Structures are given as C-alpha cells and as structure tokens.
Amino acid sequence: MKRRNTPAKTAILTLLKDANAALSQEMIEADLKGEMDRVTIYRVLNSFCEDGITHKILADDGKYYFALCHSCNEHSHDHDHFHFKCTACQKVECLDEQVTVQLPIGYVQKSITSWVSGLCKNCAAWA
C-alpha cells in the first residue's frame, strides 16, 4: 500500500537509518525531544512494519524494538535471524546469520525469533 510521506515518517526513518541499530519507541521519543507524541510515533512505526520497511523485535526486557529491513525486498520479507542485546550499552541489533531449526516431520516453520545477550564489540573492548 502506497502511503503519503509525512514529516513524522521522515524524521523517524532518518533516526532509524542513522542509529544503525534497533530502537525502542522510548528511544525515538527521546531523540525527537518532544517533536511528536507517543501515539504518532507508534502509528508510524507500525505502518513501517506493515509496509516492510522495519520489523518489530520483542526483547527480553518486554520492550519492542524496531529495526530497518536491510535484506528484504518486495518479494521476500525474511527475519529468521538472531538479535543481540548488549547488557552494558543496551544496544539491540540484528545479526546477519540465518537461523534454521530441524523440526519434527509434519511441522512447518514460519519464523524464528531468538536472543543473544552479552557485550557488543565496543563494550567488550572496554571490559
């Protein structure tokens, strides 16, 4: 579905591109410094998910994070990959490796969502 571009969409998309990591609604709201309300941010993020621009990640802290879809296109929307959350800086990022699971006969895999937590490259260098 073709949606019209708005200043809110442009601002949020720019933040996601510049962050190079998944962001929560709270992180986006803080970065925007009151430029738009929480409902508008959620509406834009959910429309991005519906349009295949981002995907939503439910983290182990109960928050949703939103990441840009880099390898997806209009014919393929694949998110079967691990997510990594740094326990020091709280950065959430998608790991590029595809995940496969050997399921019992008769089962059909639709998606995989998995978490790995620890120290990211930057934080590990200081540990």
Side-chain angles (χ1 to χ4, degrees):
M1 169 197 238
K2 181 71 175 160
R3 301 178 199 255
R4 68 183 180 93
N5 198 13
T6 65
K9 288 181 181 182
T10 301
I12 293 171
L13 190 57
T14 299
L15 281 176
L16 289 168
K17 285 180 181 177
D18 291 347
N20 199 21
L23 299 175
S24 69
Q25 180 275 330
E26 292 87 0
M27 295 168 150
I28 293 170
E29 189 174 359
D31 284 344
L32 292 174
K33 298 175 178 73
E35 291 179 32
M36 66 188 75
D37 62 34
R38 180 174 292 150
V39 173
T40 301
I41 295 169
Y42 269 122
R43 190 175 300 130
V44 169
L45 290 170
N46 285 322
S47 74
F48 284 171
C49 289
E50 291 170 8
D51 294 344
I53 297 168
T54 63
H55 65 281
K56 191 186 305 189
I57 306 157
L58 178 59
D60 57 356
D61 60 5
K63 292 182 183 178
Y64 281 105
Y65 291 80
F66 298 84
L68 288 178
C69 297
H70 295 289
S71 60
C72 300
N73 60 49
E74 61 190 63
H75 304 293
S76 167
H77 199 68
D78 188 12
H79 300 299
D80 292 342
H81 55 264
F82 281 96
H83 298 94
F84 186 90
K85 182 175 181 189
C86 181
T87 56
C89 69
Q90 304 303 307
K91 179 179 180 181
V92 174
E93 57 189 317
C94 298
L95 301 177
D96 292 331
E97 291 76 20
Q98 284 290 113
V99 178
T100 59
V101 175
Q102 186 66 38
L103 294 172
I105 295 173
Y107 288 79
V108 178
Q109 176 184 320
K110 294 291 184 180
S111 68
I112 296 175
T113 303
S114 299
W115 279 97
V116 178
S117 63
L119 298 174
C120 67
K121 291 188 286 188
N122 294 333
C123 293
W126 294 100

